[in-house]
Amino acid sequence: MGTRTEDETGTGTGTGAETERDETAVDVTEADDVTEAESEAKAESEAEAEADSEAEAGKAVPGAGENPSGVGQGAAAVVSAALGLVSLTGSWLGTVAAARETLVGQLEVAADAGVATQVKEMYGDAWNTSAVWSGLFALTALIVGAAVLARPAFGTPARAAQAPWIKSVAWAGVVLGVIGLLLAVLKYTGVLLGLPATG
């Protein structure tokens, strides 16, 4: 009976110790799960807070977070250069206007008018009209090119950066506009390729 009691006592003691170890292991596992859940929740809350702060910063600064492409400025620069080139080579509008002035001069000049009058009415006015149209194209090219170059100074800081090629093309438009305007003035005043002397 004593031996049996000892066996029962030993067995009972061993079972209790194993039960305590199992409960401790369960407690540690549950604690680890709770710690991981808290860490994940904390990381999510920090990410949400950071996203909210970035959104507020984007609202506070207009244009922040935007990537300016400069498409409009580039197109305007190209238009400026094209108008400057047209002012030097001539335009369809200038040609038509000059031809119209020639026709009007032929209709208005008298048959017995002098040579100087005929030259002025039929060719001089047409030449001046062509110069005026060239000057208008040159002036437009100059204004558009200057506006493109000055645009970053009047924009938001995020859009202040301007691509180098846009500046180059805009400067080309400005230079062509200045040259075209100068040539138009010289043509209109007769300094450049004026009408031939008739007397």
Side-chain angles (χ1 to χ4, degrees):
M1 292 293 285
T3 304
R4 188 173 181 183
T5 304
E6 288 175 1
D7 291 341
E8 290 177 357
T9 304
T11 304
T13 305
T15 305
E18 289 177 0
T19 304
E20 289 178 0
R21 280 196 295 266
D22 292 341
E23 290 177 356
T24 304
V26 170
D27 291 341
V28 171
T29 304
E30 290 178 355
D32 290 341
D33 292 341
V34 171
T35 305
E36 290 177 2
E38 289 178 354
S39 300
E40 291 177 0
K42 186 177 180 181
E44 288 178 0
S45 63
E46 289 177 356
E48 290 176 358
E50 185 176 352
D52 292 340
S53 63
E54 288 178 358
E56 290 177 0
K59 292 178 182 178
V61 180
E66 298 178 4
N67 185 17
S69 59
V71 174
Q73 295 181 26
V78 172
V79 168
S80 172
L83 290 174
L85 188 61
V86 167
S87 71
L88 294 178
T89 59
S91 65
W92 177 81
L93 286 174
T95 302
V96 171
R100 182 179 182 280
E101 283 298 324
T102 301
L103 179 61
V104 170
Q106 289 175 351
L107 294 175
E108 290 181 351
V109 70
D112 57 348
V115 176
T117 303
Q118 291 181 8
V119 169
K120 180 184 180 302
E121 292 294 331
M122 288 189 293
Y123 301 104
D125 291 346
W127 183 253
N128 289 341
T129 301
S130 176
V132 167
W133 278 101
S134 296
L136 289 175
F137 276 100
L139 183 61
T140 305
L142 179 60
I143 292 173
V144 173
V148 172
L149 292 174
R151 175 66 180 87
F154 298 98
T156 58
R159 295 180 177 270
Q162 194 175 55
W165 73 268
I166 295 178
K167 292 181 180 179
S168 300
V169 177
W171 273 114
V174 169
V175 171
L176 290 173
V178 170
I179 295 174
L181 191 58
L182 179 62
L183 291 178
V185 171
L186 293 177
K187 284 166 59 178
Y188 189 85
T189 56
V191 176
L192 180 65
L193 299 175
L195 293 174
T198 56

